[in-house]
Structure formats: C-alpha cells, structure tokens
Amino acid sequence: MVETVELTRKNVLLPSYRGRLTEGLCYDLRNNSLLWVDIINAEAHRIFLDDENLEKRHQVLRLSEKGESIGAVLKTTDVDTVLLCHKSGVSYGNFSSGKIKSVVSYPLTDEQKRRLRSNDAHIDPLGNLWVGVMTDFPVTKVEGVQFEGFLFRIDHKTLEVKVMQEKTGISNGLAFSKDARKLYWTDSPTHQVYSFDYDNETATISNKKVIINLEDAFKTYNVESQGSEPIPDGMDFTGNERFISAVFGTNSAVEYNLQGEIEKVFKLPAEQVTNVLVAGRNGDEIFFNTAHLEHEDLDAVVKIADENEVDIGGHLFKYKAKENFQPRYQDLWKGTVNV
C-alpha cells in the first residue's frame, strides 16, 4: 500500500520569497542553513533555519552577466564559501563578502558553451565535484532538449575535468553510496534513474543499470497526479537506502527503494516539483524545490502567491515528519578554497 502525504500552503517555507525556477537544495549541518538556486535568475540563496524569522538573514549571491545561470550550489570546507556551477564552469562564491571567483571552466568548444549550461551537481564522498551540463534555455526554446550534454567529474586536487557520460539529456538527481562505490544518476528525458559501479581509484563508472522508470512505476503503483508525464528530476538518497525523487510535470515527489518499489507519494500544490532534500538537525525534515509555471517566460512577472492561485510553484516547501529519515547531509568539496 502506497502512503500519500499531502502538503498545502501551510508547508511553504519562506512566504516572502518566490523564485522562478528553484533547484539544487543543499543543507549545512554546521550552521543549520539551507541553500538553493534559482537557475534562470542566476541566484544562490541561503537562510538559517535557527532564525525564528527566516527573512532576517536571507542571503543571495547573484551572477549579473547576461545569459548566465546557476544550476547548483554546493558546500566547501569553509562554511561561508560555496561552489556555484554556472553556465560554462564553476566558481567560488562567498556569502559573507559577496565575492565570486572562477575555479574551473568546462572543456567545451565555443559552440558548446553557447548551447549548454550547468544543471544538477553533487560532491562525492571523496570530495570531488560531479556536474551535469545540458541544453540551455534559449536553445531548448527553439530545438527542445537535445542529447548533447555531459556528466563531468572534477578532481578536487588537480581540477582535472573528466567526462563520465556523454550525449546525455538532462543530468539530475546525483547521489552516492557512503563508500563511494555506487553512483545513482537520473537522465530526466528517459524517465529513468540509473545505478553505476564507481571505481574511485581509477575514477571510472561501469555496469549501468536501471533502478526505476518513473513513467512505468506511476502506472504500476496507480499513482495519480495532475499535469503531464512523470519526469524524474532532483532526488535525495537517504541513509536507509531510500530515494525521494521530485517528479517534474506532476504535483508529486515519490519515495522508493533500491528495487524500484514506490512506498510513499508526497503531493504538493505545484505541478513542477524540481528537487527534494532530507535534512534538519534531527533528520526529520524534507524540503522541496518547485518552479513557477511560467518560469521560461522571462517577461512573466513572478509574484508572491495569492490565495486564489491553485498552483503556487516557485515557493519552497517543508514537511516535518515523525521519523528520522537518516539523511546523508551531503559531502564537502575538499579542494583548496581561495576567494
């Protein structure tokens, strides 16, 4: 029996904030802070969950260059400095000083730099950065998403950028086993989440297997959803070997096990659910990113949702559970921080 959890407007985390395309949730146990990005607005955000008034220290790092975007924000060994995965490379950003400094550029041709951008990313247990690049919004608007992307691994010691997968659609939902021997990865247009064996001595992946096909799973487990086809987006992998995956194009996120069996469905008042993160000091909080329905229309005005709006995508949501979900708390980039 699949359990259903209903979230409502009361679950909105930060009522004063509504983004265009929020993604990339990241939690820092060191100061109980929550980070995320608004991809199209090229912003990285941070709030402190110990603050009774979350707006009090709502910090924003923004890239002002035309055509820029930020696909992911990740932690480093310095609590105030983060990695920003932007259009064609990675930079450090410091929330205290506001400074941003380039770290590495992706090995792309000029044409690829025009066509591609960063999307989801993750740090493996060894401290290396994994980041997927995909077709950028202006190209997608004309051609649709093309299987022209890459999954890169960036070594924290040498900054070498190695291609781990090529001809990818939309890299999403990266996660690792604690021993760094398994990589879990989503290519959203295929509707599938995969596992790989990862040899962390040679930095190679092999033995690609499908864990779950969300389109088939929705039918098998009779999961009802509003919106279009179920597209797996960002996800989190918990300590008890459960995945919680955002399902873009529906109003749902689903929890499933390594056998691909859906055990729980979270329903949100937003059709475009983009990412999920299990976090909190006690491991009993789940956060959800969502997107505004008109996020790709740059002329659309994104306002704080009013009581008459049915879809309040663009807001962040928080669910307080009665159990400890055994979060992984995400790993730190172990490269030298200099910003």
Side-chain angles (χ1 to χ4, degrees), residues 63 66-71 84-90 106 108 111-119 133-139:
L63 298 179
K66 184 178 180 180
E68 264 294 2
S69 59
I70 300 179
L84 304 174
C85 300
H86 46 89
K87 181 165 170 58
S88 57
V90 180
Y106 302 141
L108 302 172
E111 179 64 5
Q112 287 172 325
K113 289 178 181 178
R114 182 186 71 83
R115 293 181 61 89
L116 303 176
R117 67 166 178 86
S118 296
N119 199 51
V133 298
M134 61 169 288
T135 312
D136 203 355
F137 296 104
V139 181

Side-chain angles (χ1 to χ4, degrees), residues 316-330:
L316 276 67
F317 293 82
K318 172 186 170 182
Y319 171 70
K320 181 79 168 179
K322 295 180 180 179
E323 72 231 63
N324 186 326
F325 278 83
Q326 299 181 36
R328 293 290 309 282
Y329 289 133
Q330 301 165 309

Side-chain angles (χ1 to χ4, degrees), residues 29 36 89 92 110 114 124 141-142 149 167 177 183 187 198 200 209 217 224 245 262 267-268 278 289 319 330:
L29 184 62
W36 73 92
Y92 286 126
D110 288 343
R114 182 186 71 83
D124 69 27
K141 191 173 183 179
V142 177
K167 297 182 180 179
S177 60
L183 163 67
D187 196 353
Y198 176 40
N200 51 53
K209 294 181 179 179
E224 295 182 1
S245 177
I262 293 179
K267 297 288 189 181
L268 287 85
V278 178
N289 282 128
Y319 171 70
Q330 301 165 309

